[in-house]
Amino acid sequence: MAVVDVNAWVGSWPSQSINAGAAEVRGMLKGVGVERIFMAPLDAAWAQNPHLPNDLVYDAAQRWADVHPVPIIDPTIATWKGEVDRAQRHSGVRLVKWLPAYAGYELAAADECAQALVEADLSLMVQTRIEDPRGQHPLAQVPDVPVQEGSDLARRHPELTVVIGGVPWSVIASYADTCRELRNLYFDVSQADGMDSLSVLIHSGMGDQLLYGSHAPLFVPLAGIARIVADVDEVEAAAILGGHAEKLLGLTA
Amino acid sequence: MATLGELRARVLPPCPALDVHVHPLSCFSPYRIESVEQDVRCLREAAQRSGVTKVCVFSLHPTCPREPTVAQCQEANDYVLRMRDLAPDFFLPFCYVNPMYPGESVVEIRRCVGEEGMVGVKLWVSRRATDPGLDPIVGESVAQDVPILQHAWRKTTGNLEGESTPGDVAHLARRHPRARIIMAHLNGCNPRGIEEVADCPNIFIDTSGGDPERGVVELAVARLGARRVLYGSDAPIRHFGVSLAKVLGAELSDSVRRELLWNNAARLLPARAGVGVI
């Protein structure tokens, strides 16, 4: 089965002494069986201009065909339209990412950018959490983005594929009804920890809207694989590990 | 392109794994649990799918009360004894006590450990480990020759009242140098917490709780030594396999992994647990 990681990062996270270049991240993910890597720049979270670290992922995509850049788009930066244009021009970009908690905007204020993504035929990941708030540096506390804002965005923009990233499994489970209604809403399961969590989500009808993400290099890459392959049958595992992402992000011929 | 079987093989441990931190599904189940038999079956099957061989189990009572009464602790312990009786080759029960009731807790430890053969003591978070109210309980655990599992966390968002930090646990360990203390939640204790217990050789950290952050297990082994870090999951709150991945995915030798996954727990548990070093 093809394993597609929709939520990998590259770069540094000082409070956890993480500093991993693209070669290192790619190596650790290949080591656990990942074949396609959707890579976003971690340094963007704390950058005054989150667009500048995007060069890291564009450079990585030039070196390796299995790396897809996931540039950060920040609608509060005056030149965000140019950054969307840059993403649209790059053949490897299928997904862009928003970090609203770190840039300090509400999703309701980003509709113009969301519409621009629709017109550029790009999908969107909204990262709701990078770190568990309990473990954040005391002088760098960032609350989670409410998932409701993400589902409201998906409702307002039915042509936009919205992947919500970094959500705990019990919160994902509470969106089962919403997922039935909004077929353009997806969740990455990189932080969906808990015994039988994937089985419960599949049982509640959300299986078609779950995507594998590793959250590497912040998380041990093996962890995200383990929660899927231990508990889920072959068909569902293949779909969550890569099948859904291949269709959604246009990776199949 | 890997098959599911190949991916499954990658996430399994290379040796038997003993999980020192597990709760019954009746406490934290993602689905409804109708009986202790179902609890045993589901918990055991999930553990074994991830390659876990045995587990230390302790109930926090099905209602997980903020201040469990003596009777609720007794009920919780009776439940875990039933789990042990249904699967004695899999469950290693710990006695759950609330340090708000030191005298009653000592009596309960004598019943559960001394008479019923439980192999450890789990303290509820009602009092910080600096509180002398814990002393009679720790003293009885030493007398019964069983380890004590003490929750700890360093929460940026603020600990609960009575919830210990690693520094508090170090205080407890220094008061009771003969006690064998398993400090729970390595990732919750974070790198500062590792330093706070570094000079307490009778504190051992379990890997349970928190996210599977990269590098933390390696750091704990580097700072404390390979014999003071143990595999624990905090299942069913956390996934057995995700927690195992913290150890399997860490940059450690196979011999060190074996210490974390089995031998360190085997050395801490009393002989009657029947768990030998491999």
Side-chain angles (χ1 to χ4, degrees), chain A residues 124-145:
Chain A
L124 169 68
M125 177 177 285
V126 178
Q127 187 75 31
T128 60
R129 166 185 288 194
I130 294 179
E131 275 186 302
D132 182 335
R134 297 175 298 174
Q136 293 173 349
H137 190 284
L139 297 180
Q141 296 186 61
V142 178
D144 294 346
V145 176

Side-chain angles (χ1 to χ4, degrees), chain A residues 26-73:
Chain A
R26 180 175 177 271
M28 67 177 76
L29 290 169
K30 296 298 247 184
V32 300
V34 175
E35 287 164 38
R36 298 264 200 157
I37 302 164
F38 282 78
M39 187 181 279
L42 202 44
D43 298 79
W46 296 107
Q48 288 284 6
N49 178 353
H51 297 158
L52 298 180
N54 286 338
D55 286 347
L56 272 175
V57 292
Y58 285 116
D59 290 348
Q62 268 200 314
R63 290 178 67 188
W64 297 289
D66 50 16
V67 173
H68 291 264
V70 181
I72 304 299
I73 304 293

Side-chain angles (χ1 to χ4, degrees), chain B residues 191-207:
Chain B
R192 283 176 181 265
I194 294 171
E195 301 305 317
E196 286 168 354
V197 302
D199 67 351
C200 298
N202 57 330
I203 293 182
F204 306 81
I205 302 188
D206 84 31
T207 60

Side-chain angles (χ1 to χ4, degrees), chain B:
Chain B
M1 202 173 283
T3 66
L4 182 61
E6 288 166 343
L7 291 173
R8 281 182 175 155
R10 279 188 188 145
V11 303
L12 291 176
C15 62
L18 197 169
D19 187 332
V20 299
H21 196 134
V22 173
H23 303 284
L25 281 160
S26 60
C27 297
F28 300 108
S29 179
Y31 37 78
R32 187 172 172 79
I33 291 294
E34 304 286 356
S35 67
V36 66
E37 288 82 4
Q38 183 194 5
D39 202 332
V40 166
R41 179 174 50 78
C42 293
L43 203 54
R44 184 177 188 163
E45 286 175 0
Q48 291 179 339
R49 282 198 301 275
S50 291
V52 174
T53 318
K54 285 180 183 284
V55 304
C56 297
V57 64
F58 27 93
S59 170
L60 306 184
H61 193 270
T63 58
C64 293
R66 182 69 188 96
E67 281 298 344
T69 64
V70 173
Q72 285 172 319
C73 289
Q74 290 167 343
E75 279 176 45
N77 291 328
D78 287 343
Y79 188 89
V80 163
L81 286 169
R82 286 162 62 204
M83 295 179 80
R84 187 269 315 269
D85 291 344
L86 287 164
D89 59 333
F90 182 70
F91 290 111
L92 298 164
F94 276 32
C95 175
Y96 174 57
V97 294
N98 180 353
M100 290 305 285
Y101 309 102
E104 293 87 343
S105 294
V106 168
V107 172
E108 182 65 355
I109 291 169
R110 287 177 182 154
R111 176 179 83 92
C112 293
V113 176
E115 298 169 20
E116 297 287 353
M118 286 192 178
V119 297
V121 170
K122 155 71 176 166
L123 303 177
W124 177 238
V125 296
S126 57
R127 282 180 159 178
R128 288 172 66 176
T130 49
D131 193 315
L134 272 69
D135 290 343
I137 298 170
V138 178
E140 186 60 27
S141 303
V142 171
Q144 296 282 350
D145 189 30
V146 291
I148 303 140
L149 193 140
Q150 168 68 55
H151 168 102
W153 210 288
R154 294 183 100 267
K155 290 177 181 163
T156 305
T157 48
N159 279 23
L160 298 168
E161 188 181 349
E163 185 177 24
S164 296
T165 64
D168 295 337
V169 183
H171 191 280
L172 180 70
R174 292 186 190 111
R175 297 202 310 274
H176 298 274
R178 291 176 56 219
R180 306 193 299 276
I181 299 170
I182 300 170
M183 184 173 81
H185 308 315
L186 170 61
N187 292 76
C189 292
N190 84 37
R192 283 176 181 265
I194 294 171
E195 301 305 317
E196 286 168 354
V197 302
D199 67 351
C200 298
N202 57 330
I203 293 182
F204 306 81
I205 302 188
D206 84 31
T207 60
S208 75
D211 290 321
E213 294 150 337
R214 221 174 110 255
V216 180
V217 168
E218 291 96 320
L219 181 66
V221 169
R223 300 297 297 151
L224 307 179
R227 289 201 169 193
R228 289 179 58 196
V229 185
L230 305 89
Y231 163 59
S233 67
D234 209 8
I237 299 169
R238 295 282 173 171
H239 190 283
F240 286 106
V242 171
S243 305
L244 261 175
K246 294 178 186 175
V247 178
L248 302 182
E251 292 180 18
L252 303 169
S253 68
D254 282 349
S255 62
V256 169
R257 278 200 191 94
R258 193 179 310 117
E259 298 295 290
L260 271 58
L261 293 174
W262 188 272
N263 286 339
N264 293 338
R267 292 187 192 99
L268 281 180
L269 294 169
R272 67 172 170 280
V275 178
V277 172
I278 55 174

Side-chain angles (χ1 to χ4, degrees), chain A residues 4 11 44-45 50 52 60-61 63-64 78 80 82 92 103 115-116 119 126 182 185 189 195 208 222 239 244:
Chain A
V4 179
L52 298 180
R63 290 178 67 188
W64 297 289
W80 67 261
Q115 191 53 40
E119 288 158 15
V126 178
L182 302 175
L185 181 66
V189 294
M195 184 184 132
D208 289 345
L222 202 59
H244 295 328

